[in-house]
Amino acid sequence: MQPSRGTAPADDPARRTSRLPRGARRLQLLRAAQEVFVAQGFHAAAMDDIAVAAGVSKPVLYQHFPGKRELYLALLEQQVGELTERMRAAMSGTDDNRTRVDGAVGAYFDFVDADGEAFRLVFESDLRNDDEVRRIVDAGTRGCVEAIAEVIAADTGVDHERALLLASGMTGLAETSARWWLPRKGTVTRDEAVALMSSLAWRGISGFPRLGDADHPSPS
């Protein structure tokens, strides 16, 4: 059946783009950009590709993002924020430090294993030499490190700088092992991999006992 005169077809991009609120449209564009940037990298990706992936016209895309770099930075901010929130939730969700270690390691494994492989934008970006990209990624790394360091400092009495150093070791272990595991996850399940790496981390961090634990003096 032909559409009536003056009415856009149901699959016309102009008609589809008018239906979503601005916030929902922005999320849709970010999802499409993630798909394209992960597959092609920043330099090879084009705004045309992203508009096609989102099912919108280029003018609609440019209404939300003035250029490819701005779109990439917005997507990077979103993904870095997601990882940081995962880590904060792992630290605040329990008072049991063994469970916190599991949660910290699991946060990285779940982020790396999430649909869409957005972790590649954070850890494997082909735009890492860009000052703003580096700032966003470094801020995200520091956010995760600080979330863990706050708990270490509060529970053990270790000073802030040493707590940050210990926390950076844990995040480094979690990130590297998660990325190593991903292409091999058919041989080791996620839960087993997290348990293995959490046990390794716990054997180290548990050497710094909680304040007031008279049975286990702090290491010299």
Side-chain angles (χ1 to χ4, degrees):
M1 178 178 178
Q2 295 294 324
S4 60
R5 182 173 299 177
T7 302
D11 61 348
D12 189 295
R15 178 172 178 175
R16 294 202 307 270
T17 56
S18 67
R19 292 179 176 176
L20 290 178
R22 185 172 181 82
R25 176 66 67 197
R26 179 182 172 87
L27 290 176
Q28 180 203 24
L29 296 176
L30 287 171
R31 285 194 297 269
Q34 176 182 322
E35 176 185 331
V36 174
F37 283 134
V38 167
Q40 301 183 23
F42 174 81
H43 295 292
M47 292 292 269
D48 284 324
D49 300 327
I50 296 168
V52 170
V56 301
S57 64
K58 281 181 66 177
V60 169
L61 182 56
Y62 280 111
Q63 285 173 12
H64 293 264
F65 302 100
K68 182 172 74 168
R69 181 174 177 273
E70 289 79 9
L71 175 52
Y72 189 90
L73 294 176
L75 179 60
L76 189 62
E77 288 268 19
Q78 180 194 62
Q79 294 303 321
V80 164
E82 179 179 330
L83 175 59
T84 304
E85 284 305 310
R86 287 178 187 268
M87 186 60 66
R88 288 174 178 159
M91 294 299 102
S92 63
T94 178
D95 291 329
D96 181 78
N97 284 336
R98 182 66 176 86
T99 303
R100 281 171 168 157
V101 171
D102 290 343
V105 174
Y108 276 89
F109 273 75
D110 291 341
F111 181 69
V112 166
D113 196 32
D115 290 342
E117 299 187 338
F119 79 93
R120 299 192 187 280
L121 304 176
V122 179
F123 301 137
E124 302 173 5
S125 173
D126 60 345
L127 203 61
R128 288 297 292 268
N129 289 332
D130 183 287
D131 289 341
E132 188 64 12
V133 169
R134 188 162 54 247
R135 183 196 67 78
I136 293 170
V137 173
D138 288 350
T141 298
R142 188 169 185 89
C144 291
V145 168
E146 287 179 343
I148 299 172
E150 288 174 6
V151 173
I152 292 174
D155 280 6
T156 68
V158 173
D159 68 74
H160 183 63
E161 284 303 319
R162 286 171 176 78
L164 287 172
L165 184 58
L166 290 167
S168 71
M170 184 177 296
T171 58
L173 175 149
E175 177 196 329
T176 303
S177 60
R179 291 170 63 192
W180 175 269
W181 163 81
L182 184 64
R184 301 168 177 83
K185 66 179 182 178
T187 60
V188 182
T189 67
R190 179 266 184 202
D191 290 347
E192 182 183 359
V194 169
L196 284 170
M197 301 316 300
S198 297
S199 294
L200 178 61
W202 178 246
R203 288 175 183 175
I205 202 67
S206 61
F208 294 80
R210 301 182 77 147
L211 287 172
D213 188 345
D215 296 331
H216 298 284
S218 297
S220 57

